[in-house]
Amino acid sequence: MRVHEAGAIHAGVGAAPGWLRVPADPNALETHLWPGSVRRGDHGALVLGGLDVRDLARQHGTPVYLCDEDDFRTRCRAFADALPGGDVYYAAKAFLCLATARWASEEGLGLDVCTGGELAVALRAGVAPTRIAFHGNNKSVAEIVRALEAGVGRFVLDSELEIARLGSAAAARGLRADVMVRVNVGVEAHTHEYIATAHEDQKFGFSLVDGHAAAAVADVLTAPSLRLLGLHSHIGSQIFDPAAFEVSARRLVQLHVAARDEHGAELPELGLGGGFGIAYTTRDDPQAPAHLAAELGAAVSSECRSLGIDVPQLSVEPGRAIAGPSTCTLYEVGTVKRVPLGGGATRTYVGVDGGMSDNIRAALYAADYSCTLASRRSQAAPVLARVVGKHCESGDVVVRDEYLPGDVTAGDLIAVPGTGAYCRSLASNYNHVPRPGVVAVRAGRVRLLVRPETEDDLLRLDVE
Ligand SMILES: Cc1ncc(COP(=O)(O)O)c(C=O)c1O
């Protein structure tokens, strides 16, 4: 669905979407949507990592991102275990700070960065440079030089210009840089659907179908300062259909074989990217990493077998599937409005103290979320609610459709699960709202990972 430019008030007035069921008990948690340690305590409030969210709100304010460290680490390990002979890079763009870079490294993962800024955080966190993969479709010369000098383990190349840039920067330093070539395989995949096209009209990678990918392989193989590790593709995000990955992997293997047949190049690796979907609502049914890896491995193996080659070492780069479910956002309710929809129906607008500045995904992609009343249990009957932010946009929606107890009121806390990926990392200061802090909880202990911004922070760049 496209969001109307004028905002959500014009975009689909009516009842609840078909997938949303009226809950028998609006206090009940759909546990698979929540970080592993979340439960509703006997007092009725949510408990995360053994801590009552009301206390966390008192100590750290709202909105606040609450991250379950064990959940994040467990998801890292699940991917690492799922690919025993392969490699896993955490896609830092999902959510990067010193702590998450360290957690991913400690759990054995490499880090995928795609800007000088992400690289700086990774290096400051002490991530081994050899475990960093440098992505991005427009790496500047300065970024390339910095990454080379830091000893970054691999570059994922995205254009002819970049092959030349990295080739000469490495040659000038007497280095040989390990690289992968990012291939645009013509598989367009988003959420539950994918399209396998002959072309994909997008900025990333070298096109497979028009021969640019094969030409890039040839160019890299003849550049003395570059060493080609293998081919790479990343086909989209929040993907549920394993067939999308399979088609992509098979197409990649065909180019991998062509590199051997035409150039005698035995490429040791194959990078299958990230994009593994997570559950934001009860409609989403993601696969476990072990299952995904088994399917991907089987697709690559069968393609390799039929082409008579050894199976290369596989790597994946999950971002959302690690960071997303580990975190929920806690908001305080400020206003509640009942808006008549016609035909006797009403929608309850629940205004919270954040919004599109801390989670732009609903406004940007019409993403769906769920939520629950977090500070207490309620006996009130559920009402169809829309949780909205405090920004000057009618499209400033946090949770488009959810059933909340009908007595939800100012001062209540609302928690939204699945906000660990692409929320803090896409946060803004729209309306001069300070960005929330990120707090980690683990076994009854709390730790501030990223402090909340203050009004002084908002003024820090203004020149008097
Ligand atoms: C090259 C690459 N790898 C991995 C990812 C991570 O995707 P996700 O967070 O959906 O797993 C992205 C996301 O944009 C990407 O561009």
Side-chain angles (χ1 to χ4, degrees):
M1 184 188 98
R2 281 186 72 79
V3 176
H4 194 290
E5 251 178 90
I9 50 172
H10 297 285
V13 172
W19 55 265
L20 186 65
R21 301 274 168 263
V22 184
D25 173 9
N27 304 294
L29 290 179
E30 297 283 349
T31 47
H32 68 288
L33 304 182
W34 293 87
S37 70
V38 170
R39 60 185 178 79
R40 199 174 284 282
D42 295 339
H43 37 59
L46 291 198
V47 173
L48 177 79
L51 296 164
D52 186 323
V53 295
R54 295 168 300 182
D55 294 334
L56 291 169
R58 270 190 290 273
Q59 285 158 17
H60 298 281
T62 55
V64 61
Y65 302 101
L66 300 176
C67 176
D68 180 337
E69 178 177 343
D70 282 332
D71 187 287
F72 186 103
R73 287 178 179 273
T74 302
R75 289 174 197 279
C76 288
R77 282 199 298 278
F79 273 101
D81 293 348
L83 236 74
D87 210 352
V88 182
Y89 288 79
Y90 169 55
K93 66 208 83 182
F95 175 58
L96 178 64
C97 64
L98 295 175
T100 52
R102 287 177 186 140
W103 295 348
S105 301
E106 285 161 12
E107 299 303 337
L109 274 53
L111 213 66
D112 145 9
V113 302
C114 59
T115 62
E118 288 182 355
L119 176 62
V121 177
L123 294 174
R124 177 79 73 87
V127 175
T130 51
R131 296 291 293 141
I132 298 176
F134 200 162
H135 278 267
N137 69 305
N138 185 10
K139 306 173 193 69
S140 69
V141 173
E143 285 174 322
I144 286 174
V145 166
R146 185 171 178 199
L148 270 177
E149 292 182 346
V152 152
R154 60 186 54 201
F155 292 80
V156 182
L157 296 176
D158 201 277
S159 68
E160 310 279 354
L161 268 173
E162 222 170 65
I163 296 176
R165 260 179 215 163
L166 179 63
S168 55
R173 285 159 185 78
L175 298 171
R176 191 151 186 230
D178 283 338
V179 305
M180 301 191 83
V181 165
R182 178 161 176 178
V183 181
N184 170 353
V185 288
V187 174
E188 202 190 329
H190 301 283
T191 62
H192 298 268
E193 289 165 8
Y194 85 97
I195 318 170
T197 58
H199 299 270
E200 196 185 329
D201 186 6
Q202 59 132 307
K203 68 174 182 169
F204 292 110
F206 294 91
S207 169
L208 185 64
V209 71
D210 68 8
H212 279 109
V217 167
D219 286 351
V220 171
L221 287 171
T222 51
S225 58
L226 303 180
R227 183 188 299 110
L228 184 59
L229 296 176
L231 306 172
H232 174 281
S233 86
H234 170 80
I235 54 173
S237 57
Q238 185 60 354
I239 301 168
F240 290 91
D241 188 348
F245 294 111
E246 273 185 50
V247 172
S248 154
R250 285 182 196 279
R251 289 184 177 180
L252 216 51
V253 171
Q254 284 159 16
L255 183 60
H256 178 96
V257 172
R260 187 196 65 168
D261 294 347
E262 285 161 34
H263 307 285
E266 296 288 350
L267 304 180
E269 298 192 26
L270 200 69
L272 300 176
F276 313 113
I278 65 167
Y280 287 106
T281 70
T282 51
R283 184 175 46 160
D284 301 325
D285 188 17
Q287 306 204 24
H291 193 250
L292 272 168
E295 292 200 344
L296 280 175
V300 172
S301 304
S302 87
E303 196 66 21
C304 289
R305 238 190 340 269
S306 73
L307 295 166
I309 58 158
D310 290 340
V311 178
Q313 180 186 313
L314 299 184
S315 62
V316 292
E317 297 151 4
R320 182 191 316 270
I322 290 174
S326 72
T327 297
C328 57
T329 308
L330 197 62
Y331 299 96
E332 184 175 315
V333 175
T335 58
V336 179
K337 267 186 206 169
R338 320 247 175 235
V339 176
L341 299 178
T346 56
R347 192 190 308 280
T348 299
Y349 276 81
V350 178
V352 295
D353 51 356
M356 64 194 294
S357 55
D358 58 75
N359 186 354
I360 196 156
R361 294 191 63 261
L364 195 60
Y365 315 121
D368 286 312
Y369 280 88
S370 324
C371 63
T372 196
L373 177 57
S375 44
R376 64 187 171 93
R377 202 186 295 278
S378 165
Q379 301 311 320
V383 294
L384 182 60
R386 179 161 291 167
V387 179
V388 294
K390 59 183 288 158
H391 296 280
C392 299
E393 291 280 329
S394 49
D396 173 25
V397 170
V398 179
V399 181
R400 191 167 300 279
D401 297 288
E402 179 59 285
Y403 284 100
L404 286 173
D407 63 352
V408 59
T409 188
D412 280 335
L413 298 175
I414 297 280
V416 177
T419 57
Y422 307 109
C423 289
R424 181 60 178 77
S425 56
L426 285 171
S428 76
N429 289 126
Y430 180 42
N431 290 137
H432 274 62
V433 169
R435 289 175 298 174
V438 185
V439 167
V441 290
R442 188 182 207 192
R445 289 213 318 277
V446 60
R447 182 179 151 210
L448 191 59
L449 302 186
V450 179
R451 73 160 170 82
E453 283 178 329
T454 61
E455 283 182 7
D456 283 345
D457 289 321
L458 297 179
L459 284 162
R460 173 179 75 201
L461 304 179
D462 273 61
V463 180
E464 296 269 9

